[in-house]
Amino acid sequence: VVSFRGGEMGAKLLNERRAGIYLVDVYMGGSTTPITQLKPAGVLEPLDSVLILPEVTDPKAWLGEKLSWIDQAHTLLMFLGFPVPNLGYNTNMVKQEEIKSYRDLLDPRWKGKIVMNDPTVPGTAAKGFSVIGFYLINLDYWRELAKQQPVILRDQRVQVEWVAQGKYPVLFFPQSAVITDFIRAGAPVASFTPVEGTYVTGASGNVAMVNRPPHPNASKVFINWVLSREGQTAFSQAFGRQSLRLDVTTEGLDPIALRKPGANYFMGSENEEFLLKQTEQMAIAREIFAPYLK
């Protein structure tokens, strides 16, 4: 396993292939990089013929009685599906009832006290920026929030560490796996969804098969296992987020990140049409938050 942020992984993989080096069998991670970088470069293979286990291909095993394909060519499949809480906070410094709406963070009391995951690169923050700016509220909200002088950085673990240590009381767009680790370790952090709602994502719970893989048969075996009940149980428990498989337990998962009937969820963030707009929308985020980008 080689682990990077999505954009870094995409650049590494494409550079290797330009040099005639083919080391990668399977991509697992977010949806933006494979759709905006890897698929246009002809890197990904359709997965239809790869999925062979009946328990994997049975639509009744999955939410909505269907496999959640990200693109029409079926090169990328989402297997996790959970609401993103979007806001994290230090439980010793902030009471959850103090921040019910995203707009509550425009109060002068929070000026200089917000740390933010970088919305100008592919990932949780970029997707959240787009959903809030174009679907749940508007771009003027982000322009007003920029006046609060947020501290923006890309190290997703340091962000949560700073909140746990009390350096900043509020975190915009915590990375799911990181904040789950801190909560499990007993750190004084929590996450929640404001009243305007949030989006449902697969986060790193997407899988694709890279073409010209060095181990094609092993790749098929691995992908089918990951999508089986056993594989999904292991991944869901380790990642701390809900699977799209309906037969996978949610025991021990943070209740805030479980799908709830009747909640206000934007469901369109994990499709090709939305993702292809991300480059343009990340450029807008870069313009809005330019003074705070390093």
Side-chain angles (χ1 to χ4, degrees):
V1 176
V2 180
S3 180
F4 292 91
R5 285 191 66 133
E8 296 168 346
M9 173 59 74
K12 179 179 186 297
L13 181 55
L14 294 176
N15 285 336
E16 288 175 351
R17 293 170 76 86
R18 280 191 285 267
I21 301 171
Y22 298 87
L23 302 176
V24 178
D25 293 293
V26 175
Y27 170 89
M28 292 179 68
S31 57
T32 303
T33 295
I35 293 300
T36 62
Q37 296 184 35
L38 303 185
K39 183 182 176 183
V43 172
L44 305 181
E45 289 280 2
L47 285 171
D48 299 275
S49 63
V50 174
L51 307 183
I52 55 177
L53 285 182
E55 70 166 299
V56 170
T57 58
D58 180 7
K60 293 182 180 180
W62 300 91
L63 181 69
E65 296 191 355
K66 63 179 181 179
L67 293 170
S68 293
W69 297 107
I70 302 295
D71 63 324
Q72 293 184 356
H74 292 186
T75 64
L76 186 65
L77 180 65
M78 182 169 77
F79 57 78
L80 292 186
F82 59 92
V84 178
N86 274 342
L87 290 179
Y89 64 101
N90 182 301
T91 56
N92 293 331
M93 302 174 69
V94 180
K95 296 179 180 179
Q96 188 173 327
E97 56 267 24
E98 294 181 80
I99 307 174
K100 295 182 180 180
S101 165
Y102 293 111
R103 290 184 173 89
D104 288 337
L105 291 177
L106 303 181
D107 189 301
R109 66 180 292 199
W110 302 114
K111 189 171 184 176
K113 297 181 179 180
I114 301 169
V115 61
M116 178 183 284
N117 196 351
D118 191 343
T120 70
V121 294
T124 301
K127 217 166 260 183
F129 172 87
S130 296
V131 171
I132 293 171
F134 291 92
Y135 298 94
L136 298 183
I137 309 180
N138 53 47
L139 287 175
D140 285 339
Y141 170 75
W142 288 122
R143 296 185 180 101
E144 290 300 311
L145 190 84
K147 297 176 184 178
Q148 296 288 69
Q149 301 177 357
V151 174
I152 299 176
L153 73 159
R154 296 183 182 180
D155 191 317
Q156 296 168 320
R157 191 164 193 88
V158 169
Q159 296 160 10
V160 183
E161 285 180 357
W162 283 356
V163 173
Q165 294 165 0
K167 185 174 182 179
Y168 295 93
V170 179
L171 169 57
F172 228 127
F173 305 128
Q175 208 281 334
S176 297
V178 176
I179 200 163
T180 294
D181 286 345
F182 275 74
I183 291 171
R184 287 173 171 173
V189 295
S191 58
F192 71 102
T193 300
V195 294
E196 293 88 351
T198 186
Y199 64 100
V200 170
T201 184
S204 296
N206 301 277
V207 64
M209 187 166 179
V210 175
N211 61 15
R212 299 184 65 177
H215 312 95
N217 292 330
S219 300
K220 291 180 181 179
V221 171
F222 176 75
I223 289 173
N224 279 272
W225 177 79
V226 164
L227 298 173
S228 70
R229 181 182 181 184
E230 180 184 4
Q232 283 297 284
T233 300
F235 196 99
S236 175
Q237 290 295 312
F239 196 75
R241 291 298 182 262
Q242 191 173 14
S243 172
L244 287 174
R245 281 194 71 101
L246 301 177
D247 55 2
V248 172
T249 181
T250 59
E251 184 178 355
L253 302 185
D254 187 347
I256 195 66
L258 298 180
R259 300 183 298 269
K260 298 175 180 62
N264 184 28
Y265 297 141
F266 175 71
M267 302 297 292
S269 67
E270 300 292 359
N271 66 60
E272 190 169 24
E273 181 181 1
F274 177 93
L275 295 167
L276 289 176
K277 297 176 182 176
Q278 285 278 273
T279 300
E280 176 185 347
Q281 292 168 356
M282 286 186 288
I284 295 172
R286 194 172 296 112
E287 178 184 348
I288 291 174
F289 292 107
Y292 313 109
L293 298 172
K294 296 181 180 180

